[in-house]
Amino acid sequence: MSRISPSPHLPRFLPSTQPSLPLLSHQHLVPLFLHCRWRTSAPAKEPEANEKRSVPMTNWWQRAVGQRLNSAGVASFASVVAREPHLALPHIAVPDIRWIDWADLERLGFRGVVFDKDNTLTSPYSLSLWPSLSHSLNLCRSAFPGKIAIFSNSTGLRQYDPDGSEARALEESIGGIHVIRHEIKKPAGTAEDIEKYFGCSASLLVMVGDRHFTDVVYGNRHGFLTILTEPLNLSEEPFIVKQPELCQVLACLSLI
């Protein structure tokens, strides 16, 4: 089995300087990529109103404005587009988490999974798992028992959840998956809090999220395997997130 040499145009998520990292052969990585990328899916069903748990209304307007006006994200977007557009390219892209083979990722040597929350696992501002994702999340739990966490720019971020009450509510709602508390919005900040929780390098972890310029850029900067999902619900997203083709074009500028 030979270690893959990453293309100079793609983020490197398995640094060759660490011999303990997973060894990926072409016969293993390519089927995993094809298994994840090329299936088609029916649109996920919108949760019923009585199935949702939402964030407190006193926090909602701050959250809505803050997520649309992520100043660190805007600065990062400009920097990435101008200098490092390859950072916005995910290693794998899927319609949603149901098209990820968690057992294959575990067999390849990855030790844990980090999820974004809004539009990856839940609707924006909701504390309830998107119902059709329940089975896949259970498969993820089976493949990575006790090694799953949420790292969100909303729940668990001290700016919006200073006492951690919302993080605790989400942990209870979706079955005890840990929400990592942190100070700085993605894509800024380090991976220190995540690595401390998992007890390993970020290069042994999988980052799953729906945004090119926050989740994917953050994951690639710190050496995660990055998996991009399509947003579950675009109705409350800012304009740029509603233009996935534009995000892909900007990200692919690095290949020109």
Side-chain angles (χ1 to χ4, degrees):
M1 185 181 296
S2 62
R3 188 183 300 276
I4 287 182
S5 297
S7 162
H9 301 299
L10 293 175
R12 188 174 71 177
F13 62 95
L14 294 175
S16 58
T17 56
Q18 299 187 37
S20 62
L21 295 176
L23 294 177
L24 301 183
S25 67
H26 291 282
Q27 63 264 35
H28 286 87
L29 184 61
V30 173
L32 172 66
F33 177 82
L34 292 176
H35 181 71
C36 292
R37 181 65 182 91
W38 299 113
R39 293 192 182 187
T40 57
S41 65
K45 181 183 177 182
E46 172 70 18
E48 299 294 334
N50 60 5
E51 294 179 317
K52 297 180 180 179
R53 295 179 63 183
S54 299
V55 300
M57 289 302 295
T58 54
N59 229 10
W60 181 87
W61 70 271
Q62 294 174 326
R63 181 80 46 83
V65 172
Q67 287 190 241
R68 284 165 173 77
L69 299 176
N70 179 350
S71 57
V74 171
S76 174
F77 173 85
S79 174
V80 167
V81 169
R83 302 175 185 175
E84 302 175 297
H86 62 278
L87 289 179
L89 286 171
H91 297 106
I92 298 170
V94 294
D96 59 56
I97 69 167
R98 293 173 295 175
W99 277 262
I100 301 172
D101 191 321
W102 304 112
D104 271 1
L105 289 173
E106 191 278 331
R107 281 193 291 269
L108 286 169
F110 292 98
R111 297 184 186 174
V113 180
V114 183
F115 287 101
D116 175 48
K117 172 193 170 290
D118 295 309
N119 264 336
T120 301
L121 294 179
T122 75
S123 290
Y125 321 118
S126 171
L127 296 179
S128 297
L129 180 69
W130 193 274
S132 58
L133 305 182
S134 177
H135 179 63
S136 178
L137 194 59
N138 286 336
L139 293 176
C140 186
R141 286 191 186 99
S142 297
F144 298 97
K147 295 294 183 179
I148 306 173
I150 291 172
F151 192 74
S152 169
N153 276 358
S154 57
T155 303
L157 182 70
R158 287 186 175 87
Q159 178 181 353
Y160 303 129
D161 188 19
D163 62 356
S165 58
E166 187 179 318
R168 290 190 293 275
L170 181 63
E171 289 168 343
E172 179 182 350
S173 173
I174 62 175
I177 296 176
H178 181 65
V179 177
I180 296 175
R181 281 65 163 175
H182 60 109
E183 299 278 356
I184 303 174
K185 290 181 179 180
K186 296 172 289 184
T190 71
E192 182 179 354
D193 291 332
I194 295 175
E195 292 178 326
K196 181 177 179 180
Y197 175 73
F198 283 94
C200 67
S201 166
S203 59
L204 291 169
L205 301 173
V206 181
M207 171 67 69
V208 184
D210 68 294
R211 291 193 178 187
H212 283 270
F213 290 96
T214 53
D215 305 309
V216 173
V217 169
Y218 175 86
N220 286 336
R221 277 179 175 162
H222 298 294
F224 293 81
L225 173 71
T226 53
I227 300 181
L228 179 74
T229 64
E230 296 173 8
L232 295 171
N233 179 5
L234 286 171
S235 62
E236 297 183 54
E237 290 285 20
F239 173 80
I240 187 65
V241 178
K242 294 180 181 181
Q243 315 301 319
E245 293 84 3
L246 176 59
C247 289
Q248 291 164 10
V249 168
L250 291 172
C252 287
L253 287 174
S254 63
L255 301 179
I256 298 175

